[in-house]
Amino acid sequence: MFFRLLMESFRRQRRRKMLAGVAILLGTTAVTAMLALATTIGDRIHKELAVYGANIVVYPKADLLDVKVGGVDLKPASGGVYLKESDLEKLKTIFWANNITGVSPEFHMAGMMLVRNTATGGPYDPRVIWHWNDPRMAGFGAFPITAVGYWFQHPFGALVTGAPQMHPWWQLQGRWPVERSITATHGEGAQEIVLGSALAKRLGLHIGDWISMGNEFEGDVVGIVTTGDVTDQQILYPLDADDQVAPVDQNGKRIGEVQRDISRVEVSARTKPEDAFARVDPDSLPPKQREIWYCRPYANSISYQIREAIPGAQAEQVRRVEQSEGNVLKRISGLMWLISAAALLAAGFAVSAAMATAILERRGEIGLMRSLGASKGAIALLFYAEAGLLALIAGSMGYLLGSGLAAWLGARIFAGDGGAAEAVLIPVLLPVVVALALVVAIAGSTPSIRTALRMEPSAILRADA
């Protein structure tokens, strides 16, 4: 009998139930979309703000030491101390290794000068000659430059990373150098290089030209890059260039293992926005609190783990990038929660209005059931069952529509990720959304149900007579 009354209420009051269902549907659609976006917005914002550069920088700890005599800084320009490229493999062993999305080591090679070649020996003469720093070369128009070794499309575990991935705002004409390239255009030891746009303009070089340094180095220009910073004045070459000129035995095999030095490393990692707890010195915390700090993906905790993993390394967060990412994430998350709360509140008011009208129309039915002996609890259970069934149906549909809306919004807001809408079906959200729909339906129905139960059956039946 109970289920018959339940089904009859849906059949006879289809319009009222539809209005209440649409209100719940719209509310749960908005909530699902916001929750689905919230689960991925951290990664999306991290990708969008990658144009600001890495959020963690690693360099030799000894570079922090100042060596001064009589107020004169005697420390070499390069710092004289380097990290080892082989130690970067240890980044894969830290607790938050899976949060690392990009790695770009650099080796700054200074103390060189470039001078235009005045020889006219033919098409295979280099346009520019590269000399080690010699003050006497200034009289021939030479000027000092810095060459920087980078990774280009370098495999690093599951990542393919390097300078182009870490600096997406760089504008390239031509192509990036190919790592571990043996084939050379102009010589057996030639390396593929990229010139900064200002340097290429100053020297009058173009893609296809080459630079020579006697028998020690030759560089084929395969690209010209514009960065808007000091890199426009530099030469970019593959960090593994030394591999090409390493000593080999009579069988052509390399003698020993090349240990490449690196001056600094830029690391990009997904992090949790910084709060007061993130700024605490972990060594001053009790063991339990230190473990909590260590297991949170703060930029500071990831930097701390990098310092533990790589000997002689100093890792610090780049506050400009990290704080920008955290502030944007906090504001967007706050807006999402505000929209969700407003959608649920509006749905609750709509359900309350629909249920109040439905119960008003069913006063006679309520009075008759009460006069026939039905208890207040049984009548309340009937109306709550109607609201619950309506919430289950509308909430499930709202979950599906909200997932589609999240995919559409993600494709429009974060068009840089590819622009195409991808499905955002997150199964764990289904019970959460249905539970919220039940709360809204029950909360919206309760005032009307309580009002109906306070009415006397005789007064209801007398009024309808």
Side-chain angles (χ1 to χ4, degrees), residues 48 142 231 245 337 459:
E48 290 290 322
T231 308
V245 295
W337 285 114

Side-chain angles (χ1 to χ4, degrees), residues 52-221:
Y52 292 115
N55 53 1
I56 297 175
V57 62
V58 186
Y59 49 88
K61 185 181 295 185
D63 272 357
L64 297 174
L65 302 176
D66 291 329
V67 181
K68 293 185 177 181
V69 176
V72 179
D73 192 353
L74 300 182
K75 186 175 67 175
S78 63
V81 180
Y82 303 99
L83 302 173
K84 297 299 181 183
E85 184 191 34
S86 57
D87 286 338
L88 296 185
E89 291 294 320
K90 297 176 182 178
L91 293 176
K92 303 175 185 177
T93 65
I94 68 173
F95 184 83
W96 289 109
N98 291 334
N99 277 43
I100 294 178
T101 60
V103 179
S104 179
E106 304 172 10
F107 177 69
H108 293 253
M109 182 164 46
M112 295 164 293
M113 303 183 78
L114 288 183
V115 62
R116 292 180 62 84
N117 184 20
T118 57
T120 57
Y124 293 103
D125 283 339
R127 297 284 301 279
V128 172
I129 300 178
W130 189 350
H131 287 272
W132 292 112
N133 196 1
D134 185 345
R136 294 172 298 178
M137 292 300 300
F140 297 93
F143 57 92
I145 59 97
T146 298
V148 184
Y150 288 104
W151 279 354
F152 298 97
Q153 304 289 337
H154 187 88
F156 187 75
L159 301 174
V160 177
T161 186
Q165 289 74 31
M166 295 288 287
H167 306 92
W169 69 92
W170 285 3
Q171 299 178 3
L172 177 70
Q173 298 177 17
R175 63 176 177 84
W176 295 112
V178 177
E179 293 188 354
R180 298 178 177 86
S181 175
I182 299 176
T183 303
T185 303
H186 295 103
E188 186 176 344
Q191 305 299 321
E192 294 185 340
I193 63 174
V194 169
L195 299 181
S197 57
L199 180 62
K201 183 177 180 180
R202 182 174 184 178
L203 294 171
L205 292 178
H206 304 87
I207 296 172
D209 292 334
W210 63 299
I211 295 175
S212 174
M213 186 180 156
N215 295 325
E216 297 184 49
F217 182 88
E218 292 177 341
D220 294 328
V221 181

Side-chain angles (χ1 to χ4, degrees), residues 368-390:
L368 183 59
M369 286 191 294
R370 288 285 304 280
S371 64
L372 293 175
S375 65
K376 292 184 178 180
I379 296 174
L381 180 61
L382 176 62
F383 284 109
Y384 280 130
E386 293 177 11
L389 183 58
L390 191 63

Side-chain angles (χ1 to χ4, degrees), residues 210-463:
W210 63 299
I211 295 175
S212 174
M213 186 180 156
N215 295 325
E216 297 184 49
F217 182 88
E218 292 177 341
D220 294 328
V221 181
V222 297
I224 296 175
V225 65
T226 301
T227 66
D229 55 30
V230 69
T231 308
D232 286 344
Q233 302 281 353
Q234 297 175 343
I235 295 176
L236 286 60
Y237 69 95
L239 196 58
D240 65 351
D242 289 342
D243 291 11
Q244 315 300 325
V245 295
V248 295
D249 59 20
Q250 58 183 357
N251 297 320
K253 293 184 178 180
R254 188 176 301 124
I255 301 174
E257 183 179 350
V258 176
Q259 291 289 335
R260 289 188 288 270
D261 294 332
I262 51 179
S263 307
R264 68 195 295 267
V265 186
E266 292 185 340
V267 178
S268 182
R270 293 187 298 268
T271 59
K272 177 183 175 65
E274 189 179 71
D275 51 26
F277 187 54
R279 293 186 286 271
V280 175
D281 181 6
D283 296 328
S284 65
L285 296 173
K288 188 173 182 180
Q289 289 293 315
R290 183 183 183 279
E291 184 177 358
I292 295 174
W293 183 92
Y294 195 88
C295 295
R296 289 186 178 178
Y298 296 126
N300 282 337
S301 62
I302 296 177
S303 299
Y304 186 89
Q305 294 165 22
I306 292 174
R307 293 195 295 269
E308 287 182 323
I310 300 180
Q314 177 68 21
E316 296 179 354
Q317 67 165 311
V318 181
R319 288 192 171 273
R320 177 190 62 182
V321 177
E322 187 61 28
Q323 294 303 316
S324 297
E325 186 172 331
N327 291 336
V328 171
L329 186 58
K330 285 180 181 178
R331 291 170 184 173
I332 294 180
S333 298
L335 179 61
M336 286 182 167
W337 285 114
L338 182 62
I339 293 174
S340 300
L344 290 177
L345 187 63
F349 281 124
V351 170
S352 179
M355 290 298 292
T357 304
I359 289 176
L360 182 63
E361 293 177 350
R362 297 169 65 182
R363 288 181 307 171
E365 179 183 341
I366 295 171
L368 183 59
M369 286 191 294
R370 288 285 304 280
S371 64
L372 293 175
S375 65
K376 292 184 178 180
I379 296 174
L381 180 61
L382 176 62
F383 284 109
Y384 280 130
E386 293 177 11
L389 183 58
L390 191 63
L392 287 174
I393 297 172
S396 299
M397 294 177 62
Y399 165 76
L400 295 175
L401 291 177
S403 298
L405 179 60
W408 184 84
L409 288 175
R412 295 300 179 274
I413 297 173
F414 301 99
D417 290 347
E422 297 180 1
V424 191
L425 282 176
I426 304 175
V428 73
L429 288 182
L430 178 58
V432 174
V433 171
V434 171
L436 289 174
L438 286 170
V439 170
V440 168
I442 291 173
S445 303
T446 297
S448 301
I449 294 174
R450 293 182 62 181
T451 300
L453 295 179
R454 284 197 297 264
M455 299 172 66
E456 290 296 331
S458 57
I460 297 173
L461 294 176
R462 192 180 305 112

